[in-house]
Amino acid sequence: MPLVLDYANLTTERLEGVGIPPDVLHHEIADDFRRALATLRAWREEGRLGFLDLPDTPGLADSVRRTVEPWLDEVDDLLIVGIGGSALGAVVLRDALGGVRWNVSARVRAGRPRLHLLDNPDPDSVAGLLADLDPARTAVNVVSKSGSTAETMALHLCVRGWLEEALDPETVRRRLLFTTDPKGGVLRAMAEREGIATLPIPANLGGRFSVLSAVGLVPAAAIGADLDALLAGAARMRTRALADDLRGNPAGLFATLLHTLHVDHGRPIHVLMPYSDRLRSLALWFQQLWAESLGKEGRGPTPLPALGAVDQHAQVQLFMEGPDDKVILFVAADPDADVEVPVPPGAPAELACFRGVTLGRLLDAERRATTEALRLSGRPSATLEVGRIDAGALGELFMMLEVATVLAGALYDVDPLDQPGVEAGKRFTWGLLGRDSFVPPEIPPADPALRTGEPG
Ligand code: PA5
């Protein structure tokens, strides 16, 4: 089923006095969309939107399959070393397409490798993971567009040292794959010097827009996902997301409605709340994409991840009755499996309504009930209906949210493709580590009076 955006609960049709009235939708918002689409087209003309070309990049899926194939009989674990946009997509692909039990169930994996992400240089996590893995049965994919991010470089060296302690140099080389810029960066130089296999991240593709490049396709291939279906789904959505008619364009509606609800209705917080464990990590991926692309020059919305139904017992209280500054975006999906709730004869009367009910139906009822309760509280929400969570649906989702992000960049009048704030932190980190030509920040000494618990 093609992805559907149900946005009735953002409009006055269902949210009287609070939502967006039809004349605003058909005039101001339609005009905003036309301008944003023109900006997107100009950026595409300038060659800045490499993600739009990924679905039909010749040989992309084949080159990834050829690279991953030799590992499949040799390894039990694949480590993805990367951070931010270079990392989060792998987890979405694993959880959505492999299922959340991928790493713990040999039955689910059916002989394919477990997939681990090393993003945070937290020594407890890294030491713990490496202690549990067998270097002789592990492959490592280092992912960095710039090929010079401190966390990724350090983790790469740690993992490499761990491999080298156990294996001969030739085996280490065969177990490494660098996914990086086609020309620049430390990783590219090392790969060329040492004959390590590489896959390119096109020059016009930033980390957070790279999930449909080799960055995401390598982990997807490792878990046996259908790469062609993933890219075909993205291509289908690209057609819809670049269409001029706003009414049929989910990316255009997503971007313009959220932007309007922020700047004209005072709702800067955008909550993405999938009702599916398999899509929980999508909310984290979206958070990174939306925040790093749009938060600049004093502008931008605040994305907030949530999970249905768990957050009905946590954040939903805040969404329902806290500050009226949020738009809730539900994601509805059809589970692959379902579980009937068995109600034994003689069960308490209060539980009798579970008779014949499945957990899938319960979860769906919870989402619909929360949507309605929010509406009655005058709180806007919309629902992305995904249908079955397969490779095609995921390709559609990724492409829709990426195009929406670029359109939102145009609407907020920021460049969605740069990240000057992140770069500043990266430079200071290298400076503090004493890397040549990087200047450390001048951090003023701490005033003991402003630190609790300091000895007097
Ligand atoms: O989305 C982005 O551009 C960033 O989050 C990067 O992915 C992140 O900073 C890692 O950068 P790199 O891929 O260059 O190592």
Side-chain angles (χ1 to χ4, degrees):
M1 133 183 174
L3 184 122
V4 171
L5 173 65
D6 178 346
Y7 59 97
N9 286 330
L10 300 181
T11 68
T12 47
E13 179 170 324
R14 302 210 65 218
L15 208 61
E16 222 174 301
V18 176
I20 296 173
D23 57 317
V24 174
L25 188 58
H26 298 134
H27 296 105
E28 283 96 320
I29 290 188
D31 287 348
D32 284 351
F33 171 63
R34 261 190 296 280
R35 276 192 296 275
L37 193 58
T39 305
L40 178 149
R41 286 182 176 144
W43 283 334
R44 192 178 191 191
E45 281 285 297
E46 289 164 20
R48 302 185 70 210
L49 303 183
F51 72 94
L52 290 174
D53 302 324
L54 293 170
D56 26 48
T57 301
L60 173 61
D62 282 340
S63 66
V64 168
R65 279 189 286 256
R66 265 198 314 276
T67 307
V68 171
E69 201 64 39
W71 283 339
L72 294 179
D73 288 337
E74 291 181 12
V75 307
D76 299 322
D77 294 276
L78 171 59
L79 284 179
I80 306 287
V81 179
I83 197 163
S86 291
L88 294 168
V91 181
V92 184
L93 286 155
R94 181 196 64 196
D95 292 354
L97 301 181
V100 293
R101 294 189 49 75
W102 182 264
N103 277 357
V104 292
S105 168
R107 175 188 60 79
V108 172
R109 286 196 306 282
R112 288 185 170 268
R114 282 178 287 260
L115 197 81
H116 312 274
L117 173 63
L118 277 185
D119 54 357
N120 211 15
D122 180 329
D124 282 336
S125 315
V126 177
L129 178 63
L130 295 185
D132 281 341
L133 301 186
D134 175 0
R137 303 279 306 165
T138 302
V140 180
N141 179 201
V142 185
V143 185
S144 174
K145 171 67 197 299
S146 61
S148 60
T149 300
E151 296 89 337
T152 306
M153 295 305 105
L155 287 168
H156 153 239
L157 293 174
C158 293
V159 172
R160 197 158 167 170
W162 172 78
L163 286 176
E164 281 166 353
E165 258 179 37
L167 306 175
D168 63 86
E170 176 52 21
T171 311
V172 172
R173 196 185 59 77
R174 279 195 296 110
R175 289 294 165 68
L176 287 171
L177 168 67
F178 292 171
T179 308
T180 191
D181 187 82
K183 293 200 181 106
V186 181
L187 277 186
R188 174 61 55 185
M190 285 176 99
E192 279 167 13
R193 205 174 51 238
E194 300 175 43
I196 293 167
T198 62
L199 284 169
I201 306 177
N204 59 357
L205 198 63
R208 58 193 176 275
F209 292 93
S210 68
V211 66
L212 295 169
S213 73
V215 172
L217 295 193
V218 167
I223 63 162
D226 184 341
L227 305 191
D228 299 314
L230 185 70
L231 294 172
R236 273 196 309 276
M237 176 52 72
R238 182 181 53 189
T239 305
R240 293 176 68 196
L242 298 182
D244 291 292
D245 182 2
L246 179 61
R247 283 168 309 178
N249 184 331
L253 285 163
F254 189 94
T256 51
L257 293 170
L258 287 180
H259 175 257
T260 301
L261 286 161
H262 175 182
V263 297
D264 296 337
H265 295 233
R267 294 193 170 82
I269 300 178
H270 301 160
V271 179
L272 194 72
M273 184 165 173
Y275 272 70
S276 159
D277 287 345
R278 288 166 63 197
L279 293 178
R280 182 182 209 157
S281 43
L282 179 79
L284 297 174
W285 176 84
F286 171 72
Q287 180 185 40
Q288 195 264 344
L289 177 70
W290 206 239
E292 200 169 306
S293 302
L294 304 178
K296 41 199 77 153
E297 299 180 40
R299 296 192 279 282
T302 300
L304 188 66
L307 176 70
V310 173
D311 266 301
Q312 287 183 210
H313 306 271
Q315 299 195 87
V316 166
Q317 172 60 39
L318 172 75
F319 302 164
M320 205 78 79
E321 295 185 350
D324 191 3
D325 54 3
K326 299 172 195 68
V327 184
I328 318 301
L329 301 152
F330 297 110
V331 185
D334 300 337
D336 280 352
D338 212 344
V339 176
E340 189 164 337
V341 182
V343 181
E350 293 87 334
L351 304 185
C353 65
F354 280 132
R355 207 154 269 135
V357 168
T358 63
L359 293 183
R361 190 168 144 211
L362 170 63
L363 195 61
D364 191 56
E366 302 226 43
R367 179 185 56 75
R368 289 188 290 119
T370 306
T371 306
E372 188 56 10
L374 280 169
R375 186 178 80 81
L376 293 175
S377 305
R379 305 291 163 115
S381 72
T383 304
L384 281 166
E385 297 170 7
V386 174
R388 271 199 66 209
I389 310 169
D390 55 19
L394 210 56
E396 288 194 25
L397 256 178
F398 284 138
M399 181 58 81
M400 195 285 270
L401 293 170
E402 288 177 349
V403 173
T405 302
V406 173
L407 291 170
L411 294 164
Y412 281 102
D413 196 20
V414 296
D415 184 345
L417 305 165
D418 68 5
Q419 54 284 327
V422 173
E423 302 303 336
K426 285 185 178 182
R427 281 196 305 279
F428 282 167
T429 301
W430 285 122
L432 289 172
L433 291 169
R435 181 171 159 188
D436 270 359
S437 78
F438 283 83
V439 183
E442 278 179 30
I443 304 175
D447 177 349
L450 298 178
R451 289 169 58 81
T452 60
E454 286 285 294

